[in-house]
Every structure is written in structure tokens, then in C-alpha cells.
Amino acid sequence: GHAGFGTQTAALAVGGYLGPPGATAVTENYDGTSWTEVNDINTARYGLRGSGTTTAGIVAMGPAPNNNLVESWDGSSWTEITEMASGKENGATAGIQTAFLVFGGVPPATGDVNTFYWNGSSWTEVADMNQAKRNLGGFGLYNSAIACGGETPSATANTEFYDGTSWTEVNNMNTARISPRGSGLSTAGLAYGGHPNNAKTESWDGTSWTEQNDLATGRGFHGGAGTLDTSALAFGGETPVTAATEEFTAADFEIKTVTTS
């Protein structure tokens, strides 16, 4: 239940659930080789999500009573910023630090359709999703985002596209799943993992989903990072609990010279 964002070689893992005694505030930075603990978030919590880079990030959500808290990251420390108007837990996010989208989540217990947009200074409620869900995946930008999978309360393969104005249902994922993680753009993204112990990886090309190589360690409620459908990072999660980190890299095309006569 931790947040993850960044790229395959520069990512942050933020907060999460450690089991008793509960939530953690620990933040770790991945440099492409190893993880290093950096400054904690101000409020320990799980069920949060984030977006951005390792020098300009943002996280939101968490369990009540802290589920409307929002914090920004400047590369060295966390700062509490304007709270969301309505609290959420286990929703999904897309965008960057100054143009950030939060959608889905709980309450209510079965998930909601609400979407909130942060413009760098204030929050605005924007168009609802078509299907209420929690524990869903999300990726893309604030005006071009994908919501995929999740819990309705049963696992769903539903996928929706947000164009900055409204949500539209598009082609479903091949495998319904709870708590996948997403990364990339709305025209070149990945969704990977899921609860319970799902190792499936699928790529999205803006129209349809294609199955890719599975994760080595199936997991749900994990962190994810990446900017395209050709590279991603999966870390932590529930198997029941793992610290495993995996990189996804699409196979390079081989260019050959062909002589014809």
C-alpha cells in the first residue's frame, strides 16, 4: 500500500503498511542500482499514491483521518500542502507535481468515481469516472490519463480514458485484477502485478492491451515507476510481503541491412 513514482533508474517508494504497528513514514530513493533511505513523509500512512520525479514529487490519500493529506517532495524533504476537499484511500493518480490527478478509491467501501485535479496551488473536482472502483491502476498525464483494473468490489478489467474533460470507457485489460500498478503515457503505458500474487504484465498502446512477460514475483499493493511502455520498475508489495525490485525493459528491435536484386 505504498506510493511509487519516477523512472526505472530514479524512483521513490513512499510510506506503506508494515504490519503491526501499522503505517510507516519511510521514504526510499532508487538510483538504478540500490535503495537509500531519505527523509520521511510528515504523516505515516498507507493506501497513498503519488506522481512526479525524484526531485519534484507529490503524494496524496491514506486511511482516515489522514486521507485528505497531500505532501510535495523537492528532492530532499516533504512539505504538507493544500488538502484535498474530500479524503480518499487506495485510489490512483496520474500527472506531475504541478498538474496532478487523483481518481477512484474509498470511501465508500466499494469504491467511488470521484476525480480531483491539483493545478499546483488548489484542488478542483472534475468529471466522475463511469465505474466506481478502488485499488485501481493509473498512469498518464492530468489531461490524458488511464484508469485500469481495480476492485468493484470484485476484480475488474475495466479501462477508462480521461481527456481532461470527461472519462470514456475503452478496451478492457486481458486479465481482471485488483491493485495493478501503472506507468507510462496514455498512448504507451504498462500495467503490472495485482492482488493476489498476480504476475501479469500488459502494455497499452492507446487502443488495446497486449500481454507481455510476467513479473518474476507476483504481487499486489506494490510500488511502480516508469515513463513509457518500454521501461518500468516494480517494487515491494504483498506476496504476502516482499522487498523485491524488478525492472521491465522491452526487447530492442534489431535493424538489419537487406540487399535486393
Side-chain angles (χ1 to χ4, degrees):
H2 55 287
F5 56 85
T7 69
Q8 187 186 71
T9 57
L12 281 187
V14 187
Y17 184 74
L18 297 178
T24 180
V26 168
T27 302
E28 297 191 37
N29 179 81
Y30 183 69
D31 63 5
T33 303
S34 59
W35 291 94
T36 303
E37 288 194 25
V38 292
N39 283 324
D40 291 353
I41 51 173
N42 291 286
T43 302
R45 53 196 145 134
Y46 53 87
L48 72 167
R49 300 290 180 269
S51 294
T53 68
T54 55
T55 58
I58 185 170
V59 295
M61 298 181 286
N66 301 316
N67 58 357
N68 64 343
L69 293 182
V70 184
E71 299 190 34
S72 67
W73 171 256
D74 63 6
S76 60
S77 60
W78 292 96
T79 302
E80 290 192 15
I81 57 176
T82 305
E83 298 172 351
M84 291 193 297
S86 178
K88 286 174 172 286
E89 176 186 351
N90 289 321
T93 61
I96 60 175
Q97 186 188 64
T98 55
F100 181 57
L101 206 64
V102 179
F103 41 96
V106 293
T110 54
D112 76 5
V113 294
N114 294 338
T115 304
F116 297 100
Y117 168 60
W118 168 255
N119 66 4
S121 60
S122 62
W123 288 95
T124 304
E125 187 170 354
V126 292
D128 290 349
M129 293 192 299
N130 294 285
Q131 184 180 59
K133 61 183 82 174
R134 61 185 183 182
N135 292 318
L136 64 160
F139 56 89
L141 302 175
Y142 81 96
N143 59 357
S144 182
I146 293 291
C148 56
E151 190 173 8
T152 64
S154 59
T156 181
N158 175 266
T159 303
E160 299 190 33
F161 169 68
Y162 181 70
D163 64 3
T165 302
S166 61
W167 290 94
T168 303
E169 292 195 26
V170 290
N171 284 323
N172 286 351
M173 304 173 75
N174 293 290
T175 301
R177 65 188 87 180
I178 296 168
S179 188
R181 287 296 173 265
S183 58
L185 301 175
S186 64
T187 55
L190 284 176
Y192 38 96
H195 174 78
N197 298 337
N198 192 311
K200 294 289 186 183
T201 299
E202 299 187 37
S203 63
W204 171 256
D205 64 5
T207 303
S208 59
W209 292 96
T210 302
E211 292 192 11
Q212 304 290 341
N213 288 330
D214 291 351
L215 288 161
T217 302
R219 64 187 82 187
F221 305 105
H222 48 297
T227 54
L228 288 172
D229 59 346
T230 53
S231 65
L233 194 71
F235 41 93
E238 184 179 282
T239 64
V241 180
T242 182
T245 302
E246 297 186 43
E247 295 179 349
F248 174 84
T249 303
D252 291 332
F253 289 102
E254 183 178 358
I255 300 174
K256 295 184 176 181
T257 300
V258 178
T259 302
T260 60
S261 61

